[in-house]
Amino acid sequence: MTTSPTASETSAHDPDAAATGAHETPVSRPLRIAAAQMGPIARHESRASVVNRMLFLLEEAGRNRVELVVYPELTLTTFFPRWYVEGEDDLNLDSFYETEMPGPDTQRLFDRAKILGIGFALGYAELTPDGHRYNTQILVERDGSVVGKYHKVHLPGHREYEPWREFQHLERRYFEPGHDFPTFEAFGGVVGMATCNDRRWPETYRCLALGGAELILIGYNTPKHYAPDPSQNPLQGFHNRLVMQSGAYQNGCYVVGVAKGGLEEGVDSLAESCIIAPTGQIVADVRTEGDELTWVDIDLAVCANYTQTLFQFDRYRRPEVYTRITTQKGAIRPSEESHG
Ligand code: CDV
């Protein structure tokens, strides 16, 4: 005799068999978060000075009972990949990397954040004890513990000197790429991180969302001048929001995008930091291109409005149809397909 499984037995394994009905938002998980945009950092500005600026924003966050502050990519220094170094190192390249975290200058930030009960995300250049160099972002909980580390996956730009450019973009010379998109149980939800160019790739958000991310923290340094195709220059702000708003909506998560903006060592960079809800709507943004804090109350439970309906991954995704995504790097036109 065959017996049919009960509805609850079936739905435990097969989301498609679950009864459909109106989704109800689960119990609220409120969090007050902030984007801590930084203005330009000069080549010779000291770490101590930068940390003072960061602390100023942290104090503002404290006065407003913010629980998580997000700083930009490579927060602690100028964006040094704009300079080429060969042979004699007149740039003093190693001086831009952190060999410990917290280190002598950043310890004050950790200490003050812990006293204020504020967690933070921080982007910096990392030089590991065994000589690896990464464009890194860490996540620090409200008790001061480092709960997550991410190495930038998509490194833009080039490796060698390109004389035709107004300024270089040598991330591919000065960093190794990261190899995964980890997510972390923190701040009452699941948090993921991404760095600058990562935000333009839909795979970034989807990989993080498949790791359960409800909140994605992104720091960036985006020159307004894009040398390979300057026709994109006037669209920088539009593209910035387009990719992050799409990423938030299509993955049912919050996204925090934080710039190091303004005119830094002759290079004008996009500011326009903002916080985006799972609706795809911007819920907080900045007014300036300098040091500025913008904060908002979010509710991580709202993510389920999207992840349990339109974007219920385990019900509607078709990974067996998406094999090109992980087996193929560049586009292959039909005429180039091998028919064997
Ligand atoms: N720091 C970056 O990753 N910047 C790139 C620029 C070079 C295009 C970006 O995607 O904004």
Side-chain angles (χ1 to χ4, degrees):
M1 189 179 84
T2 53
T3 52
S4 310
T6 64
S8 62
E9 282 168 348
T10 309
S11 62
H13 304 289
D14 177 6
D16 208 33
T20 52
H23 161 77
E24 284 174 31
T25 305
V27 177
S28 127
R29 283 178 289 141
L31 188 68
R32 186 168 290 189
I33 61 173
Q37 177 175 283
M38 300 287 289
I41 296 174
R43 175 168 168 176
H44 296 294
E45 183 166 351
S46 67
R47 293 279 201 300
S49 162
V50 175
V51 172
N52 285 345
R53 289 167 56 184
M54 296 170 74
L55 282 168
F56 189 84
L57 296 177
L58 191 77
E59 294 296 340
E60 185 179 352
R63 287 193 298 279
N64 290 287
R65 298 183 307 284
V66 170
E67 296 167 274
L68 169 61
V69 169
V70 184
Y71 293 104
E73 175 189 34
L74 301 179
T75 310
L76 298 169
T77 65
T78 199
F79 191 79
F80 63 92
R82 72 170 66 93
W83 292 298
Y84 179 74
V85 175
E86 192 187 24
E88 193 177 323
D89 182 1
D90 55 0
L91 186 62
N92 194 9
L93 186 67
D94 283 357
S95 70
F96 293 104
Y97 293 81
E98 310 301 311
T99 53
E100 48 183 336
M101 187 56 67
D105 292 299
T106 44
Q107 186 66 57
R108 286 187 296 143
L109 180 74
F110 278 71
D111 292 345
R112 188 62 187 152
K114 185 175 173 181
I115 288 168
L116 293 171
I118 301 175
F120 60 93
L122 167 65
Y124 61 96
E126 178 186 12
L127 175 55
T128 68
D130 53 350
H132 294 283
R133 294 166 193 269
Y134 297 108
N135 191 337
T136 296
Q137 196 175 320
I138 51 166
L139 181 64
V140 181
E141 253 289 9
R142 291 158 283 195
D143 64 1
S145 59
V146 177
V147 290
K149 182 183 269 196
Y150 167 71
H151 293 150
K152 185 174 183 178
V153 166
H154 299 98
L155 294 177
H158 47 107
R159 263 193 70 81
E160 302 304 330
Y161 184 67
E162 298 191 354
W164 58 273
R165 291 176 183 262
E166 275 179 36
F167 51 88
Q168 305 294 297
H169 196 105
L170 290 155
E171 283 194 64
R172 296 174 79 83
R173 184 176 189 84
Y174 297 144
F175 298 116
E176 294 170 41
H179 295 290
D180 63 347
F181 289 105
T183 52
F184 308 97
E185 307 265 4
F187 297 92
V190 181
V191 183
M193 294 182 278
T195 304
C196 197
N197 191 259
D198 289 324
R199 76 194 190 286
R200 303 185 192 275
W201 299 90
E203 292 88 346
T204 298
Y205 305 90
R206 185 49 52 89
C207 286
L208 288 169
L210 285 169
E214 299 171 309
L215 176 58
I216 297 179
L217 313 177
I218 305 175
Y220 59 90
N221 283 260
T222 295
K224 290 180 184 170
H225 176 63
Y226 183 61
D229 176 20
S231 75
Q232 296 179 30
N233 295 358
L235 301 173
Q236 289 288 4
F238 168 63
H239 289 160
N240 182 48
R241 295 199 164 183
L242 178 69
V243 292
M244 294 197 295
Q245 290 183 257
S246 308
Y249 167 67
Q250 292 172 338
N251 295 282
C253 59
Y254 287 91
V255 170
V256 183
V258 189
K260 173 136 67 65
L263 188 62
E264 183 181 276
E265 298 293 352
V267 176
D268 201 11
S269 290
L270 186 75
E272 303 192 22
S273 305
C274 62
I275 300 174
I276 302 152
T279 58
Q281 294 167 300
I282 290 170
V283 289
D285 60 358
V286 295
R287 293 280 169 268
T288 72
E289 293 198 330
D291 295 5
E292 182 179 345
L293 192 82
T294 182
W295 69 94
V296 69
D297 288 318
I298 65 169
D299 180 358
L300 294 171
V302 168
C303 299
N305 291 0
Y306 291 82
T307 60
Q308 298 307 312
T309 61
L310 260 174
F311 299 117
Q312 191 179 350
F313 287 174
D314 57 357
R315 185 172 203 161
Y316 296 119
R317 286 186 74 249
R318 300 287 314 283
E320 70 282 11
V321 183
Y322 312 147
T323 50
R324 276 182 188 262
I325 299 277
T326 53
T327 58
Q328 187 179 320
K329 196 167 177 188
I332 300 175
R333 300 165 68 107
S335 58
E336 296 165 344
E337 296 265 19
S338 60
H339 301 285

